[in-house]
Amino acid sequence: EDQVTQSPEALRLQEGESSSLNCSYTVSGLRGLFWYRQDPGKGPEFLFTLYSAGEEKEKERLKATLTKKESFLHITAPKPEDSATYLCASTNFGNEKLTFGTGTRLTIIP
Amino acid sequence: DAGVIQSPRHEVTEMGQEVTLRCKPISGHDYLFWYRQTMMRGLELLIYFNNNVPIDDSGMPEDRFSAKMPNASFSTLKIQPSEPRDSAVYFCASRDRTEAFFGQGTRLTVV
């Protein structure tokens, strides 16, 4: 069974303090690795999809990378508005469903 | 497009009552997913449809849960009878070829 594990569970950073969130996956036949952002009381919002090891994607202060075993979401010089829960999910070639990790709750302190 | 639309946003019901959650996917998306989110278990897939046909319902917890997709623009998730342990946020998501887009969710409280 596919598994996605995220760490840390929670992370508090000062505004401007860069860091990385980790997503380890055990998936037979990875088709895609997804990152979502979820704000309180809202549904997950799509950020990135990565398909192969070595791939990188960027959006504003966020950059997602992928290796054969894990993915990282790098946050550069974060701002308070980046505070949210970040979710990682995978799909495999045998099934269309997204298997989610439990998320990292990120808090950026002004 | 207004995105995935779910209703109601909040539902409070008594144990034993029937609950129906509704979802309107994004037009043109051929996959529809129902997820449940709790603090303990995170986001769990309940069921998904492809072109209105249920493909994988292995996540549906028990016979009290049922889902239908009578056409490409509407789906329902029904719980009958409801129990307090069903309290959670239920999300609907739709997808075309790549990424899935989620609705705002229905927060269900069963008392």
Side-chain angles (χ1 to χ4, degrees):
Chain A
E1 186 176 327
D2 295 349
Q3 287 193 339
V4 177
T5 303
Q6 292 188 247
S7 62
E9 287 187 13
L11 181 63
R12 291 172 62 90
L13 299 172
Q14 293 290 330
E15 183 173 359
E17 180 184 1
S18 302
S19 188
S20 297
L21 313 183
N22 177 265
C23 171
S24 299
Y25 62 90
T26 305
V27 178
S28 54
L30 179 75
R31 187 167 70 83
L33 190 292
F34 300 78
W35 283 97
Y36 283 82
R37 168 189 172 132
Q38 187 174 24
D39 293 297
K42 296 191 174 182
E45 176 188 345
F46 171 76
L47 293 174
F48 304 108
T49 310
L50 302 167
Y51 293 104
S52 57
E55 189 175 0
E56 298 183 353
K57 288 191 177 174
E58 287 188 66
K59 181 180 178 180
E60 296 181 355
R61 295 176 291 281
L62 300 176
K63 183 170 78 172
T65 61
L66 182 66
T67 72
K68 289 185 177 180
K69 293 184 178 181
E70 55 193 352
S71 178
F72 293 93
L73 184 65
H74 307 277
I75 302 176
T76 302
K79 298 182 178 181
E81 53 262 41
D82 295 321
S83 297
T85 295
Y86 290 85
L87 297 162
C88 171
S90 68
T91 57
N92 64 43
F93 284 100
N95 196 309
E96 298 294 331
K97 71 178 185 181
L98 282 164
T99 299
F100 279 90
T102 51
T104 294
R105 188 172 66 254
L106 178 66
T107 304
I108 308 300
I109 304 163
Chain B
D1 200 312
V4 177
I5 300 173
Q6 293 187 243
S7 64
R9 289 296 311 277
H10 303 275
E11 177 81 40
V12 180
T13 191
E14 292 186 346
M15 182 173 63
Q17 295 298 306
E18 177 180 297
V19 176
T20 299
L21 311 181
R22 297 173 176 81
C23 175
K24 176 178 167 53
I26 294 171
S27 177
H29 284 190
D30 52 6
Y31 285 92
L32 184 139
F33 304 83
W34 281 101
Y35 281 87
R36 177 170 68 176
Q37 187 174 40
T38 61
M39 288 293 292
M40 292 295 295
R41 301 174 68 90
L43 271 165
E44 301 175 284
L45 179 71
L46 299 177
I47 185 171
Y48 79 90
F49 297 82
N50 179 217
N51 292 321
N52 312 336
V53 176
I55 303 298
D56 183 352
D57 66 353
S58 59
M60 296 286 262
E62 47 197 273
D63 292 345
R64 298 184 298 107
F65 286 68
S66 62
K68 294 182 180 180
M69 193 166 185
N71 57 62
S73 59
F74 184 66
S75 178
T76 60
L77 178 68
K78 185 178 293 186
I79 308 173
Q80 164 64 18
S82 58
E83 296 182 3
R85 60 191 167 126
D86 302 329
S87 297
V89 181
Y90 291 80
F91 288 103
C92 175
S94 71
R95 202 200 83 187
D96 49 10
R97 290 188 175 185
T98 54
E99 57 266 19
F101 294 89
F102 283 76
Q104 295 297 298
T106 295
R107 180 175 295 277
L108 174 66
T109 304
V110 183
V111 297

